[in-house]
Amino acid sequence: MTSLPDPVIRPADPVIRSGDPVTGPRELSILYRGPLASCNYDCPYCPFAKRRDDPAALRADRAALERFVDWVERNPHGDRISVLFTPWGEALTRSWYRRALLRLAELEQVQRVAIQTNLAARLDFLADATAAALGRLAFWATYHPGQVDPDRFLRQCATLRTLGLRFSVGMVGLPEHLGSARSMRAALPTEVYLWVNAADGHRYDAAQEQEWAGVDPLFGYSVRPHPSAGRSCRTGESVISVAGDGTVRRCHFVAEPLGNLYDGSYRAALGPRPCPLATCDCHIGYVHLRTLPLYDVFAGGVLERIPAR
C-alpha cells in the first residue's frame, strides 16, 4: 500500500482554548456556498443530480453572490482573502458566477479564487481576464464518467493549461470507474494532479485501496475518516464557511454559527478552538487539521487541491 506520512499531533493540541480571538487584519480563507443547488448532470451518487432551481431561487442565489463579492471588494477589515466556491450544484454554468470569478480575481486583496466545477460550461469568458486575474484563478475540476465525453473534458483541461490556469482534476472512487480513472490519468499531463475521493458508503479492502492509490498517491487520506475531536483545526481561525445569507460557521460540517459576515459579528469569534466532531471525512474539512501534514503537502494550492510536488 502507498505509504503516507504519519499525522503529527503537536503537544499544544490537547490544550487549545476556545474564545481566544485574534484581532486586526489577517489572511482569511472563505468557503462560500450560496443557495444554488441545481446541476446539469445526473450522477447516481449525487443527491443534487439534475435538480432544477426555480427562477426565484436563482435570483436569490445571484443576489447573495453579488452581495458577497461586494463585501470582498470593500474588504472592511483589510484582510488578505482567498475564496473557494463549494456549490451544491454546478455554478460555472451560471453567468453570475463567471462574472464573480473575474471580478474577485482582479482585486489586489484577493490571493486566490477557486471554484469546484464539472467544467461543463464554456470557458470563453476567461478571455476577458487580465494576466493578473488569471494568476489568481484556479479550478477544482471533477470528471464524471458517463456524464461527459472524456475527450471533451480533456479539451476543457487543455484550454485551462493554454491560459496558464492552475487546476486539479478529480473523480469519485467507485469500482466501476477505476478503468476510466486510469485512462484519465494516462491522458492528462503528468503535472496535473488527479485526486480521488472515496465513495460515500463504500468500503475499500487493501487491494482496492492500492489500486486507487495507483491513480492518486494521496488516496489514503480520503479512504478513512480522520479523528478530529478536540484537535486543532484552522477552521474558525483563518478559515471560515460563509452561507448565502452571510452566516459564518467555522466549516461546512459544524452547524454552530460564529456570527454574520455583513454585520461583522463573526469577527470577535475568530480564534483557535478544538474541533467538536468525532471525525472529519471530507477533504475540504480535514485538509485544515493541524494534526495532518496537508498544508505542507498542498503548500500554495490548498484551496484548489494541488500538491506542492
Side-chain angles (χ1 to χ4, degrees):
M1 296 175 63
T2 301
S3 177
L4 298 174
D6 291 331
V8 177
I9 302 177
R10 293 168 174 78
D13 286 349
V15 295
I16 293 294
R17 298 188 302 274
S18 299
D20 290 343
V22 179
T23 60
R26 66 178 62 229
E27 291 198 0
L28 188 65
S29 293
I30 300 173
L31 279 61
Y32 177 87
R33 178 176 287 164
L36 183 77
S38 54
C39 187
N40 55 315
Y41 284 179
D42 62 353
C43 303
Y45 44 83
C46 178
F48 298 93
K50 283 295 184 183
R51 178 169 172 173
R52 295 183 181 275
D53 287 315
D54 62 30
L58 293 176
R59 286 193 297 271
D61 182 73
R62 178 175 178 173
L65 178 62
E66 291 175 349
R67 185 186 186 194
F68 172 71
V69 175
D70 286 343
W71 179 89
V72 176
E73 189 170 55
R74 292 195 310 274
N75 193 19
H77 306 288
D79 295 330
R80 293 283 293 167
I81 298 171
S82 297
V83 178
L84 171 62
F85 291 109
T86 62
W88 287 121
E90 174 54 40
L92 208 57
T93 56
R94 306 296 178 182
S95 61
W96 49 96
Y97 280 91
R98 299 193 295 270
R99 288 193 296 270
L101 288 176
L102 295 184
R103 186 175 163 195
L104 288 171
E106 294 288 358
L107 300 175
E108 290 187 0
Q109 64 263 34
V110 171
Q111 299 182 86
R112 180 84 73 222
V113 54
I115 189 169
Q116 295 177 327
T117 174
N118 61 26
L119 283 186
R122 293 179 58 177
L123 300 176
D124 50 2
F125 77 98
L126 294 170
D128 297 328
T130 65
L134 291 174
R136 297 185 182 106
L137 281 170
F139 283 18
W140 166 318
T142 51
Y143 170 57
H144 301 279
Q147 302 295 315
V148 60
D149 179 81
D151 289 336
R152 184 184 187 282
F153 184 86
L154 286 165
R155 286 195 296 272
Q156 294 286 81
C157 292
T159 297
L160 297 180
R161 292 188 71 235
T162 298
L163 290 169
L165 260 74
R166 291 170 55 83
F167 70 99
S168 64
V169 170
M171 299 177 61
V172 177
L174 292 166
E176 60 268 29
H177 290 170
L178 180 58
S180 296
R182 287 170 169 164
S183 297
M184 181 56 62
R185 176 62 280 170
L188 286 168
T190 55
E191 65 268 23
V192 175
Y193 174 48
L194 175 59
W195 48 265
V196 178
N197 277 347
D200 287 344
H202 185 77
R203 297 181 65 85
Y204 298 82
D205 60 28
Q208 291 170 327
E209 183 175 343
Q210 181 66 22
E211 287 180 325
W212 284 106
V215 177
D216 174 10
L218 302 177
F219 181 65
Y221 287 112
S222 178
V223 77
R224 59 187 60 83
H226 297 279
S228 58
R231 299 188 177 185
S232 177
C233 182
R234 296 171 179 86
T235 62
E237 182 180 357
S238 60
V239 182
I240 58 173
S241 165
V242 175
D245 64 358
T247 299
V248 175
R249 296 178 174 87
R250 64 177 300 165
C251 71
H252 287 328
F253 314 105
V254 177
E256 180 186 5
L258 302 181
N260 192 277
L261 191 74
Y262 302 120
D263 64 12
S265 57
Y266 76 99
R267 200 76 182 176
L270 296 180
R273 51 170 54 79
C275 180
L277 304 181
T279 60
C280 188
D281 64 358
C282 182
H283 178 88
I284 57 175
Y286 64 70
V287 71
H288 304 296
L289 281 170
R290 288 192 173 91
T291 51
L292 297 176
L294 295 180
Y295 265 53
D296 293 328
V297 172
F298 292 95
V302 170
L303 290 188
E304 58 269 39
R305 201 170 179 174
I306 297 178
R309 295 181 299 276

